[in-house]
Amino acid sequence: MSIKRALVSVSDKTGIVDFCRELSQLGVEIVSTGGTKNLLAQEGVPVIGISDVTGFPEILDGRVKTLHPAVHSGLLAVRDSEEHQKQMQELGLGYIDLVVVNLYPFQETIAKPDVAYEDAIENIDIGGPTMLRSAAKNHAFVSVVVDAADYGKVIEEVRAEGDTTLDTRKRLAAKVFRHTAAYDALIADYLAKQTGDPLPERYTVTYEKIQDLRYGENPHQNAAFYRAPLAPAGTLTTAEQLHGKELSYNNINDANAALQIVKEFSEPAVVAVKHMNPCGVGVGETIAEAYNKAYSADPVSIFGGIVAANRTIDAETAQPLSEIFLEIVLAPDFTPEALEILTKKKNIRLLKMGELTSAEGRQSVHVVTSIEGGMVVQESDVHSLSDADLKVVTKRQPSEDELKQLLFGWKVVKHVKSNAIVLAADNMTVGVGAGQMNRVGSAKIALEQAGEKAQGAILASDAFFPMGDTVELAAKHGIKAIIQPGGSIKDEESIKAADEAGIAMIFTGVRHFKH
């Protein structure tokens, strides 16, 4: 076996001229279509048109050119089958030994903010995937290249042996089917959204690998980091790492948790996260003030944590950041002075996020959780409270400052593992209780952490109180206002306890469970 004829048709023409020129010099006949054929001819690479093979012109604005028996018989014929050989000879058909194809730029087309539906549809490739699948199916005899990164390997083997090895052809075929599956998944997702069917009967997704990770949650688990094809700016998958070693699996999860919380705030805010729960959140007039509050919220737990800011890190903020051990600092940007301070620490990772979208401008995305034998899919929780959601259910109305703190606490508790309780005062968290099996248990942890700071603070709960015990406990520690969803059959018990203690309580009608 040897490669004698190649069919080349590419949208992305990176490296294609040099690749085809070398193939031609090795005695390979190049067959091509449309713009690829014109480019090769202009560059002096010997090439024949697909119509010379099919005996049929390209028609319908190029929609039909390779969908022809002369093409697909040359790709699918089993070379060691006497019957196939006989039919090919009787019909005067030739073999195609190498296919080099990449597809219409569907992803790039739909990434345009103002793309017309008709343009998206026109950029669905038909002939390309068909040729790729035919060649990949018949990889025992046919080499197929969908990625310019593989040109060098193919040329190296053809130069040495006249053909690629079977092992190489298997690997190239596997890449093709991953590529066409991803292409179809992207089209299916686009059309599902266009037709208002976000959770269809078959759920297909595709992601692109960013990097392999050293290990997963624990050293014995393999892991990799993937990016969605149309990942928006201001996410970890599009961040620029300015300093520090590679991110780990746990770094990525913790950093994403911190990022989601800090995006809740439009005013200068800083969030410190450990094990995907906030240990300190602060809001201030400046990012330096916000950081001081986040640090003061829990100066013990922030050690070895992740810090996220929604404003550029300046020197005033960088200096205290540099004085403790942190895994990551992420922010829209860093001033040169801040970078000079922080890069003196060898191991700290600095991530430049670019502009962050605040809560009001965020779109819901799918959250996919694997389970054994399948997965569950839901919309992400991007709900923001409006004035209409707030219902004061107690005799005492919250003061203006209490209302401000209640809304602050509500933004934070939304991101704490359930059962979740957050205490806040003076635009900062003072106690966080997370992940307990009962709500009063989380309240006890938050109140113990707050200590004297609980006096006059507010309490936010991610779900309703099943009974009045949490309110009674809060009252004993001096909590002055509470925000919670309401909806328990024992709401009246909680309201009565709040009234007896002079606590103002707001129902939101919205639950924020986070598991």
Coordinates of all heavy atoms in Angstrom, one line a residue, residues 208-259:
E208 N -13.6 21.4 24.7 CA -12.2 21.4 24.1 C -11.3 21.3 25.3 O -11.4 22.1 26.2 CB -12.0 22.6 23.3 CG -13.0 22.8 22.2 CD -13.0 24.2 21.7 OE1 -12.3 25.1 22.2 OE2 -13.7 24.5 20.7
K209 N -10.3 20.4 25.2 CA -9.3 20.3 26.3 C -8.4 21.5 26.4 O -7.8 21.9 25.3 CB -8.5 19.0 26.2 CG -7.6 18.8 27.4 CD -6.6 17.7 27.2 CE -7.3 16.3 27.4 NZ -6.4 15.2 27.4
I210 N -8.3 22.1 27.5 CA -7.3 23.2 27.7 C -6.0 22.6 28.2 O -5.0 23.0 27.7 CB -7.8 24.2 28.8 CG1 -9.1 24.9 28.4 CG2 -6.8 25.3 29.1 CD1 -9.8 25.8 29.4
Q211 N -6.0 21.7 29.1 CA -4.8 21.1 29.6 C -5.1 19.9 30.5 O -6.2 19.7 31.0 CB -4.0 22.1 30.5 CG -4.7 22.5 31.8 CD -4.0 23.6 32.6 OE1 -4.2 24.7 32.3 NE2 -3.3 23.2 33.6
D212 N -4.1 19.0 30.5 CA -4.2 17.9 31.5 C -3.8 18.4 32.8 O -2.9 19.3 32.9 CB -3.2 16.8 31.1 CG -3.8 16.0 29.9 OD1 -4.9 15.5 29.9 OD2 -3.0 15.9 28.9
L213 N -4.4 17.9 33.9 CA -4.1 18.4 35.2 C -3.2 17.3 35.9 O -3.3 16.1 35.5 CB -5.3 18.6 36.1 CG -6.3 19.6 35.4 CD1 -7.6 19.7 36.3 CD2 -5.6 21.0 35.4
R214 N -2.4 17.7 36.9 CA -1.5 16.7 37.5 C -2.3 15.6 38.1 O -1.9 14.4 38.0 CB -0.7 17.4 38.6 CG 0.5 18.2 38.1 CD 1.5 18.4 39.1 NE 1.0 18.9 40.4 CZ 1.6 18.8 41.5 NH1 2.7 18.2 41.7 NH2 1.1 19.4 42.6
Y215 N -3.4 15.9 38.7 CA -4.3 14.9 39.2 C -5.6 15.5 39.6 O -5.8 16.7 39.4 CB -3.7 14.1 40.4 CG -3.3 15.0 41.6 CD1 -4.1 15.6 42.5 CD2 -1.9 15.3 41.7 CE1 -3.7 16.4 43.5 CE2 -1.4 16.1 42.8 CZ -2.3 16.6 43.7 OH -1.9 17.4 44.7
G216 N -6.6 14.8 40.0 CA -7.9 15.3 40.3 C -8.0 15.8 41.8 O -7.1 16.3 42.3
E217 N -9.2 15.5 42.3 CA -9.4 15.9 43.7 C -8.4 15.3 44.7 O -8.0 15.9 45.7 CB -10.9 15.5 44.1 CG -11.4 16.3 45.3 CD -12.9 16.2 45.4 OE1 -13.5 15.3 44.7 OE2 -13.5 17.0 46.1
N218 N -8.0 14.1 44.3 CA -6.9 13.4 45.1 C -5.9 12.9 44.1 O -6.2 12.7 42.9 CB -7.6 12.3 45.9 CG -8.6 12.8 46.9 OD1 -8.2 13.4 47.9 ND2 -9.9 12.5 46.7
P219 N -4.7 12.6 44.6 CA -3.6 12.2 43.7 C -3.8 10.9 42.9 O -3.2 10.7 41.9 CB -2.4 12.0 44.7 CG -2.7 12.9 45.8 CD -4.2 12.8 46.0
H220 N -4.7 10.0 43.3 CA -5.0 8.8 42.6 C -6.0 9.0 41.5 O -6.4 8.0 40.8 CB -5.4 7.7 43.6 CG -6.6 8.0 44.3 ND1 -6.6 8.7 45.5 CD2 -7.9 7.6 44.1 CE1 -7.9 8.8 45.9 NE2 -8.7 8.1 45.1
Q221 N -6.5 10.2 41.3 CA -7.6 10.4 40.3 C -7.0 11.3 39.1 O -6.4 12.3 39.3 CB -8.8 11.2 40.9 CG -9.5 10.4 42.0 CD -10.5 11.3 42.8 OE1 -10.1 11.8 43.9 NE2 -11.7 11.5 42.3
N222 N -7.3 10.8 37.9 CA -6.9 11.5 36.7 C -7.8 12.7 36.5 O -9.0 12.6 36.9 CB -6.8 10.6 35.5 CG -5.7 9.6 35.6 OD1 -4.7 9.8 36.1 ND2 -6.0 8.4 35.0
A223 N -7.4 13.7 35.8 CA -8.2 14.9 35.6 C -7.7 15.7 34.4 O -6.5 15.7 34.1 CB -8.3 15.8 36.9
A224 N -8.6 16.5 33.8 CA -8.2 17.4 32.8 C -9.2 18.6 32.9 O -10.3 18.5 33.4 CB -8.3 16.8 31.4
F225 N -8.8 19.7 32.2 CA -9.5 21.0 32.3 C -10.0 21.2 30.8 O -9.3 21.2 29.9 CB -8.6 22.1 32.7 CG -9.3 23.4 32.9 CD1 -10.6 23.6 33.2 CD2 -8.5 24.6 33.0 CE1 -11.2 24.8 33.4 CE2 -9.1 25.8 33.2 CZ -10.5 25.9 33.4
Y226 N -11.4 21.4 30.7 CA -12.0 21.6 29.4 C -12.7 22.9 29.3 O -13.2 23.4 30.3 CB -13.0 20.5 29.1 CG -12.3 19.1 28.8 CD1 -12.0 18.3 29.9 CD2 -12.1 18.7 27.5 CE1 -11.4 17.0 29.6 CE2 -11.5 17.4 27.3 CZ -11.2 16.6 28.3 OH -10.6 15.4 28.1
R227 N -12.9 23.4 28.1 CA -13.5 24.7 27.9 C -14.7 24.5 26.9 O -14.6 23.7 25.9 CB -12.6 25.7 27.2 CG -13.2 27.0 26.8 CD -12.2 28.0 26.3 NE -11.3 27.4 25.3 CZ -9.9 27.6 25.4 NH1 -9.4 28.3 26.3 NH2 -9.2 27.0 24.5
A228 N -15.8 25.1 27.2 CA -17.0 25.1 26.3 C -16.6 25.8 25.0 O -15.9 26.8 25.1 CB -18.2 25.7 26.9
P229 N -17.1 25.4 23.8 CA -16.7 26.0 22.6 C -17.0 27.5 22.5 O -16.3 28.3 21.9 CB -17.5 25.3 21.5 CG -17.8 24.0 22.1 CD -17.9 24.2 23.6
L230 N -18.1 28.0 23.1 CA -18.4 29.4 23.1 C -18.4 30.0 24.5 O -19.2 30.8 24.9 CB -19.8 29.5 22.5 CG -20.0 29.0 21.1 CD1 -21.5 29.1 20.7 CD2 -19.2 29.8 20.1
A231 N -17.3 29.6 25.2 CA -17.2 30.1 26.6 C -17.1 31.7 26.6 O -16.3 32.2 25.8 CB -15.9 29.6 27.2
P232 N -17.9 32.3 27.5 CA -17.9 33.8 27.5 C -16.6 34.3 28.2 O -15.9 33.6 28.9 CB -19.1 34.1 28.3 CG -19.3 32.9 29.2 CD -18.9 31.7 28.4
A233 N -16.3 35.6 27.9 CA -15.2 36.2 28.7 C -15.6 36.3 30.1 O -16.7 36.2 30.5 CB -15.0 37.6 28.1
G234 N -14.5 36.6 30.9 CA -14.8 36.7 32.4 C -15.0 35.4 33.1 O -15.6 35.3 34.2
T235 N -14.6 34.3 32.5 CA -14.7 33.0 33.1 C -13.3 32.4 33.2 O -12.3 32.8 32.6 CB -15.5 32.0 32.3 OG1 -14.9 31.8 31.0 CG2 -16.9 32.6 32.0
L236 N -13.1 31.3 34.0 CA -11.8 30.7 34.2 C -11.2 30.2 33.0 O -10.0 30.2 32.8 CB -11.9 29.6 35.3 CG -12.0 30.1 36.7 CD1 -12.2 28.9 37.7 CD2 -10.8 30.9 37.2
T237 N -12.1 29.7 32.1 CA -11.6 29.1 30.8 C -11.0 30.1 29.9 O -10.3 29.8 28.9 CB -12.7 28.3 30.1 OG1 -13.8 29.2 29.9 CG2 -13.2 27.2 30.9
T238 N -11.3 31.4 30.1 CA -10.8 32.5 29.2 C -9.8 33.4 30.0 O -9.3 34.3 29.4 CB -11.9 33.3 28.7 OG1 -12.7 33.9 29.7 CG2 -12.8 32.5 27.8
A239 N -9.5 33.0 31.2 CA -8.6 33.9 32.0 C -7.1 33.8 31.5 O -6.7 32.8 31.0 CB -8.7 33.4 33.5
E240 N -6.4 34.8 31.8 CA -5.0 34.9 31.5 C -4.2 34.7 32.8 O -4.3 35.5 33.7 CB -4.6 36.2 30.8 CG -3.1 36.3 30.5 CD -2.8 37.6 29.9 OE1 -3.7 38.5 29.7 OE2 -1.5 37.9 29.7
Q241 N -3.4 33.6 32.9 CA -2.6 33.5 34.1 C -1.3 34.3 34.0 O -0.5 34.1 33.1 CB -2.3 32.0 34.3 CG -1.5 31.7 35.6 CD -1.5 30.3 36.1 OE1 -2.2 29.5 35.5 NE2 -0.7 30.0 37.1
L242 N -1.1 35.2 34.9 CA 0.0 36.1 34.8 C 1.2 35.6 35.6 O 2.3 36.0 35.4 CB -0.4 37.5 35.4 CG -1.6 38.2 34.7 CD1 -1.9 39.5 35.4 CD2 -1.3 38.4 33.2
H243 N 1.0 34.7 36.6 CA 2.1 34.3 37.4 C 1.7 33.0 38.2 O 0.5 32.8 38.4 CB 2.4 35.4 38.5 CG 3.5 35.1 39.4 ND1 4.8 35.0 39.0 CD2 3.5 34.8 40.7 CE1 5.6 34.7 40.1 NE2 4.8 34.6 41.1
G244 N 2.7 32.2 38.5 CA 2.5 31.0 39.4 C 2.4 29.8 38.6 O 2.3 29.7 37.4
K245 N 2.4 28.6 39.3 CA 2.4 27.3 38.7 C 1.0 27.0 38.2 O 0.0 27.8 38.4 CB 2.9 26.3 39.7 CG 2.1 26.2 41.0 CD 2.7 25.2 42.0 CE 1.9 25.2 43.3 NZ 2.6 24.3 44.3
E246 N 0.9 25.9 37.5 CA -0.4 25.5 36.9 C -1.5 25.3 37.9 O -1.2 24.9 39.0 CB -0.2 24.2 36.1 CG 0.6 24.3 34.8 CD 0.6 23.1 34.0 OE1 0.2 22.0 34.5 OE2 1.0 23.1 32.8
L247 N -2.7 25.6 37.5 CA -3.9 25.4 38.3 C -4.1 23.9 38.5 O -3.9 23.1 37.6 CB -5.1 26.0 37.7 CG -5.1 27.5 37.5 CD1 -6.4 27.9 36.7 CD2 -5.1 28.2 38.8
S248 N -4.5 23.5 39.7 CA -4.9 22.2 40.0 C -6.4 22.0 39.9 O -7.2 23.0 39.8 CB -4.5 21.8 41.4 OG -5.3 22.4 42.4
Y249 N -6.9 20.8 39.9 CA -8.3 20.5 39.9 C -9.1 21.2 41.0 O -10.1 21.9 40.8 CB -8.5 19.0 40.0 CG -10.0 18.5 40.1 CD1 -10.6 18.2 38.9 CD2 -10.7 18.4 41.3 CE1 -11.9 17.7 38.9 CE2 -12.0 18.0 41.3 CZ -12.6 17.7 40.1 OH -13.9 17.3 40.1
N250 N -8.5 21.2 42.2 CA -9.2 21.8 43.4 C -9.1 23.3 43.2 O -10.0 24.1 43.6 CB -8.6 21.4 44.7 CG -8.9 19.9 45.0 OD1 -9.9 19.4 44.6 ND2 -8.0 19.2 45.7
N251 N -8.0 23.8 42.7 CA -7.8 25.3 42.5 C -9.0 25.8 41.6 O -9.6 26.8 41.8 CB -6.5 25.6 41.8 CG -5.3 25.5 42.7 OD1 -4.2 25.3 42.2 ND2 -5.5 25.6 44.0
I252 N -9.2 25.0 40.5 CA -10.2 25.5 39.5 C -11.6 25.5 40.1 O -12.3 26.5 39.9 CB -10.1 24.5 38.3 CG1 -8.8 24.7 37.5 CG2 -11.3 24.8 37.3 CD1 -8.5 23.6 36.5
N253 N -11.9 24.5 40.9 CA -13.3 24.5 41.5 C -13.4 25.6 42.5 O -14.4 26.3 42.6 CB -13.5 23.1 42.1 CG -14.0 22.0 41.1 OD1 -15.0 22.2 40.5 ND2 -13.1 21.0 41.0
D254 N -12.4 25.8 43.3 CA -12.5 26.8 44.4 C -12.5 28.2 43.7 O -13.2 29.1 44.1 CB -11.3 26.7 45.3 CG -11.4 25.6 46.3 OD1 -12.5 25.1 46.5 OD2 -10.4 25.2 46.9
A255 N -11.7 28.4 42.7 CA -11.6 29.7 42.0 C -12.9 30.0 41.3 O -13.4 31.1 41.3 CB -10.5 29.7 41.0
N256 N -13.6 29.0 40.7 CA -14.9 29.2 40.1 C -15.9 29.6 41.2 O -16.8 30.4 40.9 CB -15.3 28.0 39.3 CG -16.6 28.2 38.6 OD1 -16.6 29.0 37.7 ND2 -17.6 27.5 38.9
A257 N -15.9 28.9 42.3 CA -16.8 29.3 43.4 C -16.6 30.7 43.8 O -17.6 31.5 44.0 CB -16.6 28.4 44.6
A258 N -15.4 31.2 44.0 CA -15.1 32.6 44.4 C -15.6 33.5 43.3 O -16.2 34.6 43.6 CB -13.6 32.7 44.6
L259 N -15.4 33.2 42.0 CA -15.8 34.0 40.9 C -17.3 34.2 40.9 O -17.8 35.3 40.6 CB -15.2 33.4 39.6 CG -15.5 34.2 38.3 CD1 -14.8 35.5 38.4 CD2 -15.0 33.4 37.1

